[in-house]
Amino acid sequence: DIQMTQSPSTLSASVGDRVTITCRASQSISSWLAWYQQKPGKAPKLLIYMASSLESGVPSRFTGSGSGTEFTLTISSLHPDDFASYYCHQYNSYPYTFGQGTKLEIK
Amino acid sequence: EVQLVESGGGLVQPGGSLRLSCAASGFTFSNFWMSWVRQAPGKGLEWVANIKQDGSETYYVDSVKGRFTISRDNAKDSLFLQMNSLRAEDTAVYYCARDPVSGHDYGDYLLKWGQGTLVTVSS
């Protein structure tokens, strides 16, 4: 199985900050990676697919990059609505797997 | 509007069974791969299983193989998860989710999600 390791597990930041979340795969997944945002009590919401493609309707301050085993999600300037949990997800091979998540908190 | 509505969750004893359902609307259900993803209380997301448009292919995470069965009824626009031999570690919110593109031969990322149904395995 492909293990997905996210870092950091928790990130404290302020409105307007630029933040980066990293996701590492235990083997190459090419660009078969998605990022989701989840707020408490809600279903996940797709942000990025194919490592760097922005889902329709998602603000352009969200950027995904990487390929192979190293990926990043960057939020260029945090808005109050961005404080949530974020998960990476590999869909290169079965069983599909998620990272353990990054909780983005208000500093 | 795409809607996915899960049902069937509840409290069940260890070793028991439960069948989850997901009612789909707003799109041509038979054209899409469908998945189940779960989230234990306070924990991260775990992909559980998915199924091809015609049900001819199914895939599972190792921890549920032999205990859970994913299936679908395209005539009723419904997805199911039959869960047997339930364990405490199966306690989670179970989400039904849909792939982004119709007609693919392979499973993909997850674009549309339901709101989830809670399964609690406890004596």
Side-chain angles (χ1 to χ4, degrees), chain A residues 1 32 34 36 38 41-46 48-50 55 87 89 91 94-101, chain B residues 33 35 37 39 43-47 50 59-62 95 100 106-111 113-116:
Chain A
D1 298 2
W32 302 107
Y36 303 86
Q38 187 182 33
K42 300 295 186 182
K45 172 189 172 183
L46 177 69
I48 301 284
Y49 61 95
M50 282 303 293
E55 172 58 18
Y87 295 90
H89 166 216
Y91 50 101
Y94 290 111
Y96 292 170
T97 46
F98 288 88
Q100 80 276 18
Chain B
W33 283 77
S35 300
V37 174
Q39 186 169 36
K43 302 298 184 183
L45 301 170
E46 181 179 37
W47 181 89
N50 69 355
Y59 299 91
Y60 299 89
V61 67
D62 286 350
Y95 294 101
Y106 50 89
D108 215 323
Y109 57 93
L110 302 169
L111 177 60
W113 297 67
Q115 285 307 300

Side-chain angles (χ1 to χ4, degrees), chain A residues 9-20:
Chain A
S9 296
T10 306
L11 180 55
S12 296
S14 302
V15 172
D17 284 353
R18 176 186 179 93
V19 298
T20 297

